[in-house]
Amino acid sequence: MELHTLFLIAILAGIFLPAPLNSAYVAYNTSAGVVPGKINVHLVPHSHDDVGWLKTVDQYYAGANNSIRGACVQNVLDSVISALLDDTNRRFIYVEMAFFERWWRQQSDALKAKVKRLVDSGQLEFINGGMCMHDEATPHYVDLIDQTTLGHRFILDEFGQKPRVGWQIDPFGHSAVQGYLLAAELGFDSLFFARIDYQDRAKRISTKTLEVIWKASRSLGSTSQIFTGIFPVHYEPPDGFNFEINDVSDPIQDDPLLFDYNVQQRVNDFVAAALAQANVTRTNHIMWTMGTDFRYQYAVSWFRQMDKFIHYVNLDGRVNALYSTPSIYTDAVFAANKKWPLKTGDFFPYADRENAYWTGYFTSRPGFKGYVRSLSGYYLAARQLEFFQGRYSTGPNTDALADALALAQHHDAVSGTQRQHVAADYALRLSIGHKEAEKVVASSLAALTSSRLNSDPKFQQCPLLNISYCPPSEANFTNGKSLVVVAYNSLGWKREDVIRIPVSSENLVVRDSAGKKIESQLLPISNISLLTTEYLVKAYLGISARGSARYWLAFSASVPPLGFSTYVVSSAKSTESRSFVSTVYTSEEGSVENLEVGQGNLKLLYSANEGRLTHYANKRNLVTTLPELSYSYYRGYNGTDRVFQASGAYVFRPNGTFPIEPKAQVPLAVIRGPLLDEVHQQLNTWLYQVTRVYKDKEHAEVEFTIGPIPVDDGYGKEIVTKISTALSSNKTFYTDSNGRDFIKRIRDYRADWDLDVHQPVAGNYYPINLGIYLADETRELSVLVDRAVGGSSLVDGQIELMLHRRLINDDTRGVGEALNEKVCVLDDCKGLTVRGKFYFRIDPLGEGAKWRRTLGQEIYSPLLLAFSGEEEGYNWKSSRITTFSAMDQSYSLPNNIAIITLQELQSGKVLLRLAHLYEAGEDKDYSVVSGVELKKLFSGKKIKKVTEMTLSGNQERKKSRLEWKVEDKDEDEEKVVRGGGVDPVKLVVELAPMEIRTFIIDFDYQKKVYLL
């Protein structure tokens, strides 16, 4: 019966079959260009390749660990190149140079020649061009510039090309610094991205404002604005047009002899999708991003379908389809000669739905964030020292650290949104690079301190100084031995600071570069610090640190610009005064109600009974207030899906806030001395705080040790500190953009749309890299940080910072892992303990910028310390160079200018970047044009040529960019000031507020050869 039925169906089907058709080769016409008067659908083939996320960068490249994800970038590039060579009309864009460089160095000369022809013809185009697609919330602007420069240099050296379009399609929100600095100042003509707040996107779709002119810098204004395109949905094709080999989209089936012939249906689908997108744009050009994460591993599956769509859609004639790139699209849109709406500010915070603000990652993995930031400042100094000594073709260099730091800027690296084993891989690369750079620093300082009469000294460094561990300084100074401390200052101005090193003896004396004894102070190391040191040293080094350091030795240092000073620590003789041993007072010892700390202008008053800060007074500027410094935690929401959204690596969704209050009175330990005072407070078993007030400083430094955060109650926790004052800030506060401009924030408000408030805490959090401040009519409160954190002002007069987070649920945004960091010693694993610092100060209105900018530079670029031993009978002062400055002895940079890059590219050729630290109108004294005298900056060197370059140094500055028209002129924009050209005789560089100027400087000298 069944066979009979099937036979009958087959006969009946045959009755209705069409006449026999031919199946033959089709020469698909893919040569289409832009057609005026039609909707032009620009098909942009791409693969978004994360340089680490679920797998490490090398696992992604090689296709290893595919049990996590089947992704192999090597296959992507092999397959794409082959497909491009098959058809000269096909195009592809590539972004992540960390991957392309890996692939490139393994190719034959013959294939390299073919790839260069693809690049020259425009078939293969490098877009963005950095080593990675960097995050925009948590990196420092210097790191963004460095990683982009590294990628652009590779492209220029190998292909002679210069990227002209920004492509930040995946970062979770977009910074003002990205808009003007990492786009316009690079010479880019346009910038494209995908992720903006879901409410913002809905408004822009309805008003056709997905494409705008972004004027992100108030100081540089229209001179650094850029055309910016936001994708209507995401960075993948419209639904139904994904063609990876395992995707479910229907292909075009154009063989009439086969079932499911669907050419007209698929053409109709294409046209419908194109018209829908055209309805939300202002020109007859739309872009389809043909690809997504790790696509084109079998590139033919994509190109075969795009070939067919271009061929058949253009035969249909309703719209025009073409292979394109963002550069072609940019030129086509520019040629439309439209006026565009203006966008100012930035695109933070980002939420992809209700109750899902991606503001948790501003703080995620705070230990890793701190490591990246500290090595960033170290790399800046190491490159300077590498230049002073001279870079060699063999031997140690800073390249490994440069590569590791570049990878660390990826939007799933410093952001803290990667899996744990990937975070460990990033940290390992940084550690390897750091060790190599340490050798550069040691050899450079040895050469610079050498008088050529003696062998070069051997220098050691202490990368674990932040956890009170430094073997050379903890040595026993007996038998006439001394410790030599060389302090290098990478800033362009003289620096006065207090150096603190752990020591094991109290019978010490400190002498400066001239051999003069200087004031010093011994402070006892707390028990909590000793326990933390012992645990972490055993965890990371596998050795015991027990029983060595007992004190912090503090002494004042004065270090010349771009130079070093030398200090010698030795045992005090019986006839000379020794380091001052700090007095220690605990609130348990007496009945004093109030305890005052501070030896200089700043005084802090604590209530001994309540164990809290009660009064702040600066006798110089007469600012007094009644502040409160407290801690609390948000309980992480324990959701299991996107409806019941959890707090996780990306998303911050609090489920209640709880003050951290000790169960009993917290005893204060007050340590006093001539250089600084400290107040120690243990708030509970996992939160310890030290507040320091230095005699010659007018701010408070707060060091926190947090962890392991307990989660045994079944809830993750997100730890915050709050600095509360009576300032009437009217919902307004300011946060920095990647350490540069300060952006005005208003609580529960967005300038671009009417905000529906669903998350009043998480929705008001912003990224902080430098600091945050608020003000009223008379005063301003500023807080600076030592790493990227999230923060806000949820209450008038109060600043809140999130310092640490430990969570037990995944937030369903792809990482598939809870943010539950642990540190293990053998089989003993505990939650991560983090130590960091923040700094606060209160100033009269309008006077806080000087402190924020100056101390901000000192936090980013701390004194680099190197240690060497001095044997009995050997006098360092008489046989070594004890002080040095690369600059003219009578010169230092203006206080509003910083050197952010000083790097030897090759013998006689140097990359120099100078940055103005202030915004227009930020400070009455320093928001002005200032000059740098290159002859004095490079004292003793003959400058042959100075060439100004764009930010990444890959082309001369004189290149003009596309000038876009704006709908409504910004009436608030004042006349923009820019620094003038460099006079070839005077050699003075002018910098206007917020300018960064980049130069290639050619010197006329022979490299000095050191015998190492």
Side-chain angles (χ1 to χ4, degrees):
M1 183 67 181
E2 290 182 358
L3 289 174
H4 176 75
T5 302
L6 291 173
F7 181 70
L8 180 61
I9 291 173
I11 293 175
L12 292 174
I15 294 173
F16 297 102
L17 284 175
L21 298 174
N22 293 324
S23 176
Y25 169 76
V26 178
Y28 299 114
N29 182 1
T30 59
S31 62
V34 169
V35 175
K38 279 191 176 182
I39 293 174
N40 289 275
V41 184
H42 294 251
L43 303 182
V44 177
H46 79 104
S47 177
H48 173 59
D49 298 339
D50 293 301
V51 294
W53 180 36
L54 309 181
K55 306 199 295 188
T56 70
V57 58
D58 287 344
Q59 288 172 346
Y60 271 133
Y61 176 73
N65 212 355
N66 278 343
S67 61
I68 295 176
R69 174 165 189 166
C72 176
V73 175
Q74 191 173 15
N75 286 350
V76 171
L77 293 170
D78 284 343
S79 184
V80 164
I81 296 303
S82 177
L84 293 179
L85 291 171
D86 286 344
D87 185 341
T88 58
N89 294 316
R90 292 172 176 172
R91 297 180 184 273
F92 193 83
I93 64 170
Y94 203 71
V95 173
E96 295 86 5
M97 291 305 104
F99 282 134
F100 200 90
E101 187 179 45
R102 282 165 166 75
W103 181 83
W104 183 249
R105 61 185 177 228
Q106 290 188 308
Q107 305 311 308
S108 68
D109 289 341
L111 184 57
K112 284 183 176 181
K114 293 179 181 179
V115 173
K116 287 181 178 180
R117 287 195 291 272
L118 292 175
V119 173
D120 290 341
S121 69
Q123 277 190 267
L124 176 62
E125 184 174 349
F126 298 117
I127 301 292
N128 227 30
M131 298 304 286
C132 67
M133 186 181 294
H134 53 238
D135 183 41
E136 297 183 36
T138 57
H140 193 274
Y141 74 95
V142 173
D143 291 327
L144 297 179
I145 295 170
D146 285 343
Q147 84 87 14
T148 303
T149 298
L150 204 59
H152 283 195
R153 188 183 306 150
F154 166 75
I155 295 170
L156 184 65
D157 289 346
E158 296 295 334
F159 302 97
Q161 298 292 319
K162 308 169 188 71
R164 55 175 292 234
V165 173
W167 189 258
Q168 287 288 111
I169 60 175
D170 197 26
F172 327 124
H174 305 281
S175 73
V177 158
Q178 175 65 42
Y180 80 88
L181 192 64
L182 275 301
E185 295 296 296
L186 288 170
F188 287 175
D189 285 315
S190 59
L191 169 66
F192 297 92
F193 50 72
R195 295 188 188 271
I196 62 170
D197 187 278
Y198 73 101
Q199 294 183 44
D200 191 9
R201 189 190 304 278
K203 171 75 176 295
R204 292 184 181 281
I205 287 174
S206 67
T207 57
K208 294 188 176 183
T209 54
L210 286 168
E211 294 177 318
V212 298
I213 303 302
W214 188 9
K215 188 177 74 172
S217 171
R218 185 174 57 85
S219 300
L220 300 180
S222 57
T223 67
S224 64
Q225 65 192 22
I226 191 165
F227 176 83
T228 302
I230 304 160
F231 303 146
V233 182
H234 202 43
Y235 55 80
E236 55 195 18
D239 287 346
F241 296 91
N242 287 276
F243 299 112
E244 196 70 14
I245 195 167
N246 292 321
D247 281 331
V248 297
S249 298
D250 287 337
I252 286 185
Q253 205 292 84
D254 59 350
D255 185 342
L257 293 186
L258 302 181
F259 284 8
D260 302 322
Y261 181 87
N262 64 354
V263 172
Q264 191 59 52
Q265 179 60 50
R266 293 303 279 141
V267 168
N268 291 342
D269 294 341
F270 188 101
V271 172
L275 292 176
Q277 186 168 334
N279 284 333
V280 301
T281 60
R282 297 192 174 201
T283 72
N284 62 328
H285 297 279
I286 61 174
M287 183 195 299
W288 282 12
T289 49
M290 300 301 292
T292 185
D293 295 8
F294 300 101
R295 295 306 194 258
Y296 291 80
Q297 297 188 70
Y298 182 58
V300 171
S301 69
W302 283 88
F303 283 113
R304 178 188 294 121
Q305 295 306 313
M306 287 186 287
D307 288 350
K308 292 182 179 183
F309 272 109
I310 291 171
H311 178 78
Y312 290 116
V313 165
N314 292 343
L315 285 176
D316 176 87
R318 285 175 287 173
V319 301
N320 179 59
L322 67 152
Y323 277 121
S324 188
T325 68
S327 298
I328 294 172
Y329 178 82
T330 297
D331 290 337
V333 171
F334 180 75
N337 200 28
K338 296 282 188 178
K339 289 186 176 181
W340 301 94
L342 187 68
K343 159 69 182 174
T344 59
D346 63 6
F347 290 88
F348 285 117
Y350 162 64
D352 61 356
R353 57 177 293 129
E354 290 182 20
N355 304 322
Y357 277 93
W358 296 39
T359 53
Y361 81 94
F362 299 161
T363 299
S364 294
R365 301 193 187 276
F368 182 68
K369 283 179 165 66
Y371 192 37
V372 171
R373 183 61 50 84
S374 67
L375 289 186
S376 174
Y378 186 89
Y379 175 53
L380 184 147
R383 282 185 293 178
Q384 293 177 359
L385 290 166
E386 189 175 40
F387 162 61
F388 297 150
Q389 181 191 17
R391 184 178 170 91
Y392 295 88
S393 58
T394 59
N397 56 52
T398 58
D399 293 351
L401 183 54
D403 290 339
L405 278 169
L407 288 177
Q409 308 315 311
H410 170 55
H411 60 270
D412 283 308
V414 68
S415 59
T417 55
Q418 68 276 50
R419 286 196 174 180
Q420 185 59 51
H421 78 281
V422 181
D425 182 76
Y426 287 131
L428 177 61
R429 293 171 187 275
L430 289 168
S431 176
I432 292 170
H434 185 203
K435 289 183 183 300
E436 183 78 359
E438 278 188 327
K439 298 175 185 177
V440 174
V441 168
S443 64
S444 298
L445 288 176
L448 293 170
T449 58
S450 175
S451 65
R452 294 296 163 215
L453 299 177
N454 297 281
S455 60
D456 289 340
K458 304 297 182 183
F459 283 105
Q460 294 178 267
Q461 294 159 69
C462 295
L464 297 182
L465 195 57
N466 68 312
I467 59 167
S468 318
Y469 183 70
C470 182
S473 72
E474 297 170 30
N476 193 356
F477 303 131
T478 57
N479 301 321
K481 293 182 178 179
S482 299
L483 175 72
V484 177
V485 182
V486 174
Y488 176 73
N489 173 23
S490 59
L491 300 179
W493 56 75
K494 183 180 179 181
R495 182 165 180 177
E496 309 285 343
D497 212 337
V498 173
I499 293 174
R500 297 168 61 248
I501 57 174
V503 295
S504 58
S505 171
E506 65 180 49
N507 185 34
L508 300 175
V509 63
V510 182
R511 289 180 171 81
D512 64 13
S513 299
K516 179 183 176 182
K517 189 179 71 172
I518 60 174
E519 192 169 43
S520 58
Q521 177 183 345
L522 288 166
L523 301 92
I525 297 178
S526 66
N527 288 333
I528 189 73
S529 287
L530 293 174
L531 292 173
T532 301
T533 301
E534 171 65 17
Y535 188 83
L536 293 180
V537 168
K538 186 175 292 184
Y540 292 118
L541 301 183
I543 60 175
S544 174
R546 187 183 301 277
S548 50
R550 298 166 54 202
Y551 301 97
W552 283 105
L553 173 66
F555 56 91
S556 296
S558 178
V559 190
L562 287 190
F564 63 77
S565 294
T566 305
Y567 299 88
V568 178
V569 181
S570 57
S571 296
K573 298 178 181 178
S574 57
T575 57
E576 60 184 350
S577 59
R578 63 187 65 177
S579 298
F580 181 88
V581 179
S582 303
T583 61
V584 180
Y585 175 87
T586 65
S587 57
E588 297 174 317
E589 295 177 1
S591 58
V592 177
E593 292 186 3
N594 295 303
L595 296 169
E596 183 183 85
V597 296
Q599 304 296 317
N601 290 328
L602 179 61
K603 307 289 185 184
L604 300 182
L605 195 66
Y606 287 80
S607 167
N609 293 330
E610 299 179 25
R612 64 182 182 88
L613 175 65
T614 60
H615 196 77
Y616 174 108
N618 186 322
K619 66 182 181 181
R620 180 191 60 81
N621 60 25
L622 304 181
V623 168
T624 62
T625 190
L626 306 177
E628 181 180 352
L629 177 59
S630 62
Y631 291 84
S632 59
Y633 69 86
Y634 293 104
R635 178 185 289 171
Y637 199 96
N638 277 359
T640 55
D641 56 34
R642 292 195 179 202
V643 176
F644 303 100
Q645 178 64 56
S647 248
Y650 300 91
V651 173
F652 172 33
R653 189 185 181 188
N655 187 16
T657 178
F658 304 86
I660 296 176
E661 295 177 340
K663 295 180 180 179
Q665 178 179 334
V666 178
L668 297 178
V670 179
I671 301 173
R672 294 189 176 96
L675 297 179
L676 73 152
D677 292 350
E678 291 184 343
V679 179
H680 291 241
Q681 298 170 276
Q682 183 156 2
L683 302 179
N684 58 31
T685 58
W686 51 269
L687 202 165
Y688 191 85
Q689 174 182 282
V690 181
T691 304
R692 298 188 180 95
V693 180
Y694 294 88
K695 178 182 178 182
D696 297 324
K697 308 288 184 182
E698 295 184 8
H699 64 264
E701 172 186 298
V702 181
E703 180 182 272
F704 57 87
T705 304
I706 301 175
I709 299 172
V711 293
D712 50 358
D713 59 356
Y715 292 100
K717 297 173 181 64
E718 305 174 73
I719 315 304
V720 299
T721 187
K722 300 176 182 179
I723 302 98
S724 305
T725 68
L727 272 68
S728 301
S729 50
N730 193 27
K731 295 186 176 181
T732 302
F733 57 104
Y734 301 82
T735 63
D736 72 277
S737 178
N738 303 111
R740 290 294 282 168
D741 314 61
F742 278 92
I743 311 296
K744 183 178 180 179
R745 315 295 189 184
I746 300 175
R747 193 161 60 248
D748 294 334
Y749 173 79
R750 302 291 189 268
D752 295 330
W753 76 94
D754 294 328
L755 178 68
D756 287 336
V757 178
H758 299 285
Q759 287 290 314
V761 176
N764 285 301
Y765 255 63
Y766 292 89
I768 300 170
N769 283 276
L770 168 61
I772 176 174
Y773 74 93
L774 51 79
D776 62 12
E777 295 180 352
T778 60
R779 296 167 298 173
E780 53 189 85
L781 165 66
S782 305
V783 181
L784 301 184
V785 297
D786 68 345
R787 70 198 67 194
V789 300
S792 186
S793 176
L794 301 176
V795 177
D796 280 0
Q798 182 186 88
I799 286 175
E800 172 174 316
L801 303 176
M802 184 181 291
L803 304 177
H804 196 1
R805 53 201 314 255
R806 185 183 184 190
L807 300 160
I808 58 176
N809 292 92
D810 175 52
D811 55 14
T812 67
R813 290 308 184 276
V815 74
E817 190 175 89
L819 184 68
N820 186 10
E821 296 181 275
K822 296 180 180 180
V823 176
C824 298
V825 176
L826 299 178
D827 294 328
D828 177 25
C829 295
K830 300 178 180 178
L832 179 70
T833 295
V834 170
R835 177 172 293 168
K837 295 177 183 177
F838 61 88
Y839 311 77
F840 70 90
R841 172 168 159 156
I842 305 170
D843 285 287
L845 183 65
E847 296 184 14
K850 289 185 178 68
W851 177 74
R852 290 191 294 269
R853 295 300 184 178
T854 302
L855 185 65
Q857 284 300 114
E858 294 179 356
I859 294 169
Y860 175 71
S861 294
L863 292 173
L864 189 158
L865 303 181
F867 304 90
S868 185
E870 182 182 76
E871 299 293 334
E872 182 178 14
Y874 180 82
N875 190 305
W876 186 280
K877 177 178 176 294
S878 64
S879 58
R880 302 290 182 192
I881 297 171
T882 59
T883 185
F884 161 83
S885 175
M887 298 164 62
D888 188 289
Q889 291 186 355
S890 64
Y891 186 67
S892 67
L893 291 190
N895 290 334
N896 54 3
I897 305 296
I899 299 171
I900 61 171
T901 307
L902 179 55
Q903 178 181 12
E904 184 172 14
L905 302 178
Q906 59 194 60
S907 182
K909 193 178 290 288
V910 169
L911 178 65
L912 172 70
R913 281 195 193 89
L914 301 168
H916 198 297
L917 298 175
Y918 290 75
E919 297 178 71
E922 184 178 5
D923 185 85
K924 60 184 176 62
D925 298 318
Y926 291 139
S927 293
V928 296
V929 176
S930 293
V932 174
E933 300 180 51
L934 297 181
K935 291 180 181 178
K936 293 183 177 180
L937 175 59
F938 296 104
S939 178
K941 293 181 172 61
K942 184 178 179 181
I943 297 174
K944 184 168 59 176
K945 183 182 179 183
V946 177
T947 307
E948 183 163 11
M949 312 295 286
T950 54
L951 186 68
S952 65
N954 70 342
Q955 58 191 306
E956 290 193 35
R957 176 85 187 182
K958 61 186 179 183
K959 174 187 177 292
S960 60
R961 298 189 304 119
L962 299 180
E963 295 184 10
W964 299 82
K965 295 179 179 180
V966 179
E967 276 185 346
D968 299 311
K969 184 178 180 181
D970 185 1
E971 301 297 335
D972 296 332
E973 178 171 318
E974 300 178 3
K975 183 178 180 181
V976 176
V977 178
R978 288 276 196 167
V982 180
D983 186 288
V985 177
K986 295 181 180 179
L987 295 180
V988 175
V989 175
E990 292 181 341
L991 290 101
M994 279 292 105
E995 268 198 305
I996 295 178
R997 299 185 69 177
T998 303
F999 301 91
I1000 299 291
I1001 300 181
D1002 292 275
F1003 292 103
D1004 187 10
Y1005 71 96
Q1006 293 292 321
K1007 181 184 291 184
K1008 186 176 181 181
V1009 178
Y1010 293 101
L1011 301 176
L1012 299 178

